[in-house]
Amino acid sequence: MQNQREILETVRMIEQQHLDIRTITMGISLHDCADADAKRACRKIYDKITTRAEALVRTGELIETEYGIPIVNKRVAVTPIAEIAAASDAADYVPFARALDRAAETLGINFIGGFSALVQKGMTEADRKLIASIPEALAETGRVCSSVNVASTRAGINMDAVAWMGRIIRETAERTRETDGLGCAKLVVFANAVEDNPFMAGAFHGAGEPECCVNVGVSGPGVVKTALEQVRGESFDVVAETIKKTAFRITRMGQLVARVAAERLGVPFGIVDLSLAPTPAIGDSVAYILEEMGLERAGAPGTTAALAMLNDAVKKGGVMASGHVGGLSGAFIPVSEDAGMIDAARIGALSLEKLEAMTCVCSVGIDMVAVPGATSAATLSAIIADEAAIGMINQKTTAVRIIPVPGKDVGDTVEFGGLLGTAPVMRVSGYGSDAFIARGGRIPAPIHSLRN
């Protein structure tokens, strides 16, 4: 039970420090929707999603009203479509994306994830069809999100897939040129993708998940920053303890919402993902937390160390608060979605190279980064390969969500709006990686993957 003091603290965190439930995401298995006839499969998919998640938005809104806790997004994640569409006679998988989009529109959710393929060790014909369909699918739909897992610690890095994804990102940007390549904001390339991540654009419902479940993503960078303001000048021991206690309180709120939502929807409670997911709102920034620790700007020397401690302390606090912490849980560093990161990138304090170093210790990777539209496919692939290597070697999830903005160059700014924010176009190395990417094949798994 919460005492009066704890309740008042939670109210203050919500009203003044941007604490919210970033998303309630319902995971839905589509395995029983597989059909040799593509039209029939798409109809089954639409019917199952709209039936299973019929009450999702209404339930979220009622919980918001009753508990006074903002729930920003209501979302759905489904079984990777490459696995379901494989049984069909479809020549391409764009119709499946359209079916997902129609279901999302009917439900009133903001995003649906799972137009995905897992190709870390190789590609099936279905995987190839799905990947080839991504540019058109993301150009034609508004709510569909796509992800491709190209590497894992156990399998190594599928460099053929990495090379292809560089070209897919370029094509997606061109097909959504009128919106500054916005389609790329709905596309993530993973290493070590997790099956229960509730956050977009990388959410999908993995093979090890139940028929249907509810996962909740909690966010509270503003709360952590406010807590650290009270311990200025104290040692890092005190800083770490402060973050842990704050993460504990945030996670308890998330678990409450997750359990209530699951009970009312009649499905199992999956996990709480305690990720400090920022927004462009002033005060709701991971970068500002790092600066509160003593850095002049995010990106200054010491940033990686500060982020490592933040990520670890968040996980420790979350695990103490709930036995069902999962997903990614840590700190996200999406440049366009974080007011402090935007400022740091704009003035040159934060470079792509420093971001890469930071991804070694954060929850995801190169996220929502805008680069010049002329950036070659091979360079994009090489950036993906670097991130995949970090994930593979360190046995962690890494990802790339990068946007080559057509017609834009370093110094320009792109306005995506809403939670996607504002992206300063960042400099990319002018030295090429074409011959490296052209080798293809597979970078073998590291020796420490042999742990049986």
Side-chain angles (χ1 to χ4, degrees):
M1 293 288 290
Q2 288 185 314
N3 61 35
Q4 186 176 16
R5 179 168 170 270
E6 289 174 325
I7 292 170
L8 290 173
E9 281 182 353
T10 302
V11 170
R12 185 168 61 252
M13 289 189 294
I14 291 169
E15 292 183 347
Q16 301 175 15
Q17 300 164 20
H18 303 282
L19 177 63
D20 57 48
I21 300 296
R22 186 56 49 87
T23 179
I24 291 180
T25 301
M26 177 178 280
I28 302 173
S29 170
L30 299 182
H31 284 105
D32 57 346
C33 297
D35 198 292
D37 182 275
K39 289 183 180 179
R40 195 158 52 231
C42 288
R43 187 164 59 250
K44 288 180 180 179
I45 288 169
Y46 173 87
D47 289 344
K48 183 166 187 180
I49 294 170
T50 53
T51 299
R52 281 286 188 171
E54 181 181 15
L56 178 62
V57 171
R58 184 170 68 253
T59 299
E61 291 171 346
L62 287 172
I63 292 172
E64 282 185 272
T65 301
E66 291 178 28
Y67 289 87
I69 300 171
I71 301 174
V72 180
N73 299 298
K74 294 84 178 175
R75 298 165 169 171
V76 168
V78 299
T79 307
I81 289 297
E83 298 177 9
I84 308 307
S88 77
D89 56 3
D92 71 76
Y93 293 165
V94 174
F96 289 87
R98 295 193 192 109
L100 295 177
D101 205 45
R102 287 196 306 274
E105 185 176 1
T106 298
L107 294 171
I109 59 176
N110 67 320
F111 285 121
I112 185 165
F115 196 72
S116 307
L118 311 179
V119 299
Q120 58 268 23
K121 201 170 184 179
M123 287 182 268
T124 65
E125 186 59 31
D127 294 327
R128 293 180 190 279
K129 287 180 181 179
L130 185 130
I131 293 172
S133 300
I134 288 173
E136 184 178 353
L138 297 184
E140 287 195 14
T141 61
R143 308 184 195 213
V144 173
C145 291
S146 180
S147 60
V148 179
N149 192 71
V150 299
S152 72
T153 299
R154 294 286 294 183
I157 304 174
N158 183 345
M159 290 300 292
D160 292 325
V162 168
W164 196 6
M165 288 311 300
R167 299 193 295 273
I168 290 294
I169 291 170
R170 284 274 305 176
E171 186 179 348
T172 302
E174 286 298 326
R175 281 179 175 264
T176 55
R177 170 181 282 269
E178 292 184 0
T179 52
D180 290 323
L182 185 60
C184 296
K186 300 184 294 173
L187 173 59
V188 183
V189 185
F190 274 120
N192 290 321
V194 298
E195 299 185 335
D196 57 4
N197 164 28
F199 287 100
M200 299 297 170
F204 63 85
H205 191 66
E209 295 295 296
E211 175 72 16
C212 186
C213 67
V214 168
N215 298 319
V216 166
V218 185
S219 180
V223 180
V224 175
K225 175 169 186 306
T226 300
L228 292 184
E229 289 172 0
Q230 310 308 310
V231 294
R232 285 178 179 167
E234 299 283 356
S235 72
F236 280 113
D237 304 274
V238 174
V239 171
E241 195 64 25
T242 301
I243 295 170
K244 285 193 319 190
K245 290 178 179 177
T246 305
F248 179 91
R249 293 201 300 272
I250 294 171
T251 307
R252 295 292 282 182
M253 183 194 75
Q255 179 167 271
L256 168 66
V257 170
R259 289 196 178 280
V260 171
E263 181 180 341
R264 294 185 182 182
L265 290 166
V267 300
F269 159 41
I271 56 94
V272 176
D273 186 320
L274 177 64
S275 287
L276 299 183
T279 73
I282 300 299
D284 198 26
S285 162
V286 170
Y288 291 162
I289 297 173
L290 304 179
E291 290 168 11
E292 183 60 40
M293 291 185 194
L295 302 171
E296 184 176 358
R297 286 285 187 178
T303 297
T304 306
L307 183 59
M309 190 195 68
L310 171 64
N311 212 49
D312 180 66
V314 164
K315 291 178 188 292
K316 287 174 178 173
V319 167
M320 288 295 293
S322 172
H324 296 279
V325 172
L328 297 166
S329 291
F332 289 173
I333 51 172
V335 174
S336 78
E337 299 174 11
D338 184 307
M341 296 288 180
I342 293 168
D343 290 342
R346 186 175 286 134
I347 66 173
L350 185 65
S351 66
L352 198 57
E353 290 77 15
K354 185 60 176 178
L355 273 172
E356 182 181 313
M358 293 164 67
T359 63
C360 296
V361 298
C362 80
S363 284
V364 193
I366 301 293
D367 195 14
M368 284 304 291
V369 171
V371 296
T375 305
S376 72
T379 295
L380 296 172
S381 295
I383 292 170
I384 293 169
D386 283 342
E387 280 301 304
I390 290 171
M392 176 184 71
I393 295 296
N394 291 289
Q395 304 178 68
K396 70 183 294 292
T397 302
T398 52
V400 173
R401 187 163 51 144
I402 194 166
I403 305 164
V405 186
K408 301 284 187 180
D409 207 343
V410 177
D412 293 330
T413 298
V414 187
E415 298 284 346
F416 292 125
L419 287 177
L420 297 179
T422 301
V425 178
M426 300 181 72
R427 182 192 64 81
V428 176
S429 173
Y431 295 96
S433 311
D434 299 57
F436 175 77
I437 295 300
R439 287 181 178 273
R442 185 152 56 98
I443 293 178
I447 188 64
H448 59 252
S449 69
L450 301 176
R451 300 178 66 187
N452 289 341

